[in-house]
Amino acid sequence: MTGVVVIIAALALLIFLAYRGLSLLLLAPAMALLAVAFAEGGPVLASYTQVFMQAMGGFVIQYFPLFLLGAVFGKLMEASGSARVLADGIIGRLGRDRAIMAVVLSCAALTYGGVSLFVVAFAVWPIAAVLFREADLPKRLIPATIALGAFTFTMTALPGTPAIQNAIPMPYFGTTPFAAPGLGLIAAGIMFGLGMAWLRFRARVLGPGYGVVADDVTQPARLGRDPGFVIAALPLLLVLVLNLGFTVLVIPRMDTGYLALAIYGATDVDALRGIWSIIAALTVAVVALVALNWRGLAADLAKTLDQGAKDALAPIFNTASLVGFGAVIASLSAFGVIRDWVVTVGGDNVLVSLAAGTGLLAGITGSASGGMSIALATLGETYLQMGTAAGLAPDLLHRVTAVATGGLDALPHNGAVITLLAICGLTHREAYLDIAVVAVIVPLLALVVLITLGTIFGSF
């Protein structure tokens, strides 16, 4: 029992210190090794080099291409003016009297196309500030509006999204980004519908009035070489279409028997198809994006690519550090008690157990991808076996896992939440309530519906 208390204390301290602004690159190994020392008096150095670093390195090896290509693609979208053009185009078509809807759809279009939610927040905030001011809507609703479009349904529920949260389950369950598309669409519709209803309700309750504007931008800067709307949207469409094409048509027809060799990890194409598809789709989209915007990007292309590559480092190493932390915690004998308890949550319903385990870990770490990686690294095989025994399709396990990590991950210590509030110049006290509703409570409600439908009808 003492070991369980130590684990909980280490997790709580990790959350508290991360909330205070300390780097996860320092916190994750420090808290993991403290847990080793106090829980069992175990080999601290061996736990660091042989457990923490092995798990952290394994995550980087497997997912670095996705982080790298996603960050480069997002930076090119930003530098070319495509992100701004898409946001402006959606706003122009909807009208300024639908400011909330326009911002949500702008964020959704960008994130569903593969643009990092951090890039989306920076790109859409200037436009949202101007639009909300002109519509006389409260500034304090901007963070929640961006969060609804970027942190929820496009991140975990919509089939085919290239978000890392939709990619991590693939090698564990042998699935693709389009797992359980019908259920994903239903969950996405619930998140979007209820989230929009809340934001509109809050706009009526708070009444007109933008608020303090002293530090706001007045209008996004124009570079004089922005692409047209079609050109701006084409790379995003390529990501989606090519991702599906590689997943369904190209890769399954490739001769991949060599993957059974030890040099290639003694695996098969089903474990790699999803990741390969996203890598290929993003690569082609990056090349197309540069070609379509060559005149605007050529002068600073090397600098833009360099910055995009650098932008990938902090997210992947922060997430990988949390994976290393989870591996160390999982190596402790006391973790077996927690694991056994998590597996029993929900009784005979594997989906409830899976959702509870991944969701709680995502909340504890403040990261959907980090919590998901910890859960699947320690319990993925167990859940797959339980699901198979219960007659559940791996696609259903994939979608429940992804959606389950997209609720509690947005607690106050979440890095994306903290960054978003900083961009908007607001505090947790001013704006977190609305973020909590649209990015925590509503996704949890969607998860309940998803599990209910999956239990009754299976995967579709």
Side-chain angles (χ1 to χ4, degrees):
M1 188 62 181
T2 302
V4 174
V5 173
V6 170
I7 290 175
I8 294 173
L11 292 171
L13 193 56
L14 174 68
I15 293 172
F16 174 75
L17 293 177
Y19 182 80
R20 302 287 294 179
L22 273 70
S23 170
L24 286 173
L25 294 177
L26 299 174
L27 281 178
M31 294 302 101
L33 299 183
L34 282 175
V36 171
F38 284 97
E40 299 177 349
V44 173
L45 289 177
S47 295
Y48 179 65
T49 60
Q50 305 307 115
V51 181
F52 183 93
M53 289 305 301
Q54 293 292 327
M56 179 178 178
F59 182 87
V60 173
I61 289 171
Q62 187 165 20
Y63 294 108
F64 181 69
L66 301 189
F67 278 80
L68 175 64
L69 290 168
V72 169
F73 182 79
K75 193 63 182 178
L76 288 170
M77 286 289 293
E78 178 186 22
S80 66
S82 298
R84 185 193 308 108
V85 168
L86 283 176
D88 280 349
I90 294 173
I91 290 169
R93 285 161 174 77
L94 290 177
R96 297 190 180 277
D97 58 330
R98 298 181 179 176
I100 293 176
M101 174 77 78
V103 173
V104 169
L105 292 183
S106 298
C107 294
L110 295 174
T111 51
Y112 193 47
V115 182
S116 166
L117 58 88
F118 291 97
V119 173
V120 170
F122 279 104
V124 175
W125 150 245
I127 301 168
V130 175
L131 187 61
F132 269 54
R133 191 185 309 166
E134 292 183 356
D136 205 25
L137 291 170
K139 174 187 175 181
R140 62 189 296 180
L141 290 180
I142 293 179
T145 304
I146 293 176
L148 176 59
F151 299 2
T152 61
F153 59 95
T154 54
M155 186 179 78
T156 63
L158 282 182
T161 176
I164 190 67
Q165 292 79 6
N166 194 39
I168 291 175
M170 294 188 298
Y172 294 96
F173 299 134
T175 51
T176 75
F178 298 90
L183 290 170
L185 289 172
I186 292 172
I190 293 172
M191 294 183 205
F192 176 76
L194 293 182
M196 284 297 304
W198 173 261
L199 291 174
R200 287 168 175 162
F201 165 75
R202 287 286 287 166
R204 291 194 300 270
V205 170
L206 295 173
Y210 179 78
V212 179
V213 300
D215 298 326
D216 285 355
V217 294
T218 56
Q219 182 66 31
R222 297 289 176 178
L223 302 179
R225 55 174 184 266
D226 288 345
F229 185 85
V230 173
I231 296 299
L234 186 57
L236 299 178
L237 293 176
L238 279 176
V239 173
L240 299 177
V241 173
L242 292 177
N243 186 10
L244 178 60
F246 280 113
T247 299
V248 177
L249 299 176
V250 179
I251 293 179
R253 298 181 180 180
M254 295 169 56
D255 181 8
T256 55
Y258 57 85
L259 291 174
L261 300 176
I263 190 174
Y264 299 112
T267 185
D268 57 55
V269 71
D270 288 335
L272 299 172
R273 179 173 51 169
I275 294 176
W276 282 6
S277 297
I278 295 179
I279 291 174
L282 282 173
T283 299
V284 174
V286 165
V287 173
L289 180 52
V290 172
L292 291 170
N293 297 276
W294 177 255
R295 294 182 61 185
L297 291 171
D300 296 318
L301 181 58
K303 181 179 178 180
T304 302
L305 293 174
D306 182 65
Q307 187 58 53
K310 291 178 180 178
D311 288 347
L313 299 180
I316 191 170
F317 278 103
N318 282 335
T319 303
S321 292
L322 290 173
V323 173
F325 171 84
V328 172
I329 295 299
S331 71
L332 302 177
S333 59
F335 183 79
V337 177
I338 299 175
R339 180 190 59 213
D340 294 341
W341 174 79
V342 167
V343 172
T344 63
V345 173
D348 295 331
N349 194 316
V350 180
L351 299 181
V352 174
S353 175
L354 176 60
T358 54
L360 287 173
L361 287 172
I364 289 169
T365 60
S367 167
S369 55
M372 182 189 299
S373 297
I374 294 171
L376 293 180
T378 56
L379 297 170
E381 185 175 350
T382 300
Y383 283 128
L384 181 59
Q385 292 174 352
M386 292 170 61
T388 301
L392 299 177
D395 280 9
L396 179 57
L397 301 179
H398 174 131
R399 189 55 56 204
V400 169
T401 301
V403 174
T405 54
L408 294 179
D409 71 308
L411 292 176
H413 61 289
N414 174 266
V417 169
I418 294 172
T419 300
L420 178 57
L421 291 174
I423 292 172
C424 298
L426 295 166
T427 66
H428 281 79
R429 182 185 299 274
E430 292 171 319
Y432 183 72
L433 169 63
D434 298 299
I435 294 177
V437 172
V438 302
V440 179
I441 296 175
V442 167
L444 289 178
L445 293 175
L447 175 63
V448 171
V449 175
L450 172 60
I451 292 175
T452 301
L453 293 176
T455 301
I456 297 173
F457 300 106
S459 179
F460 62 89

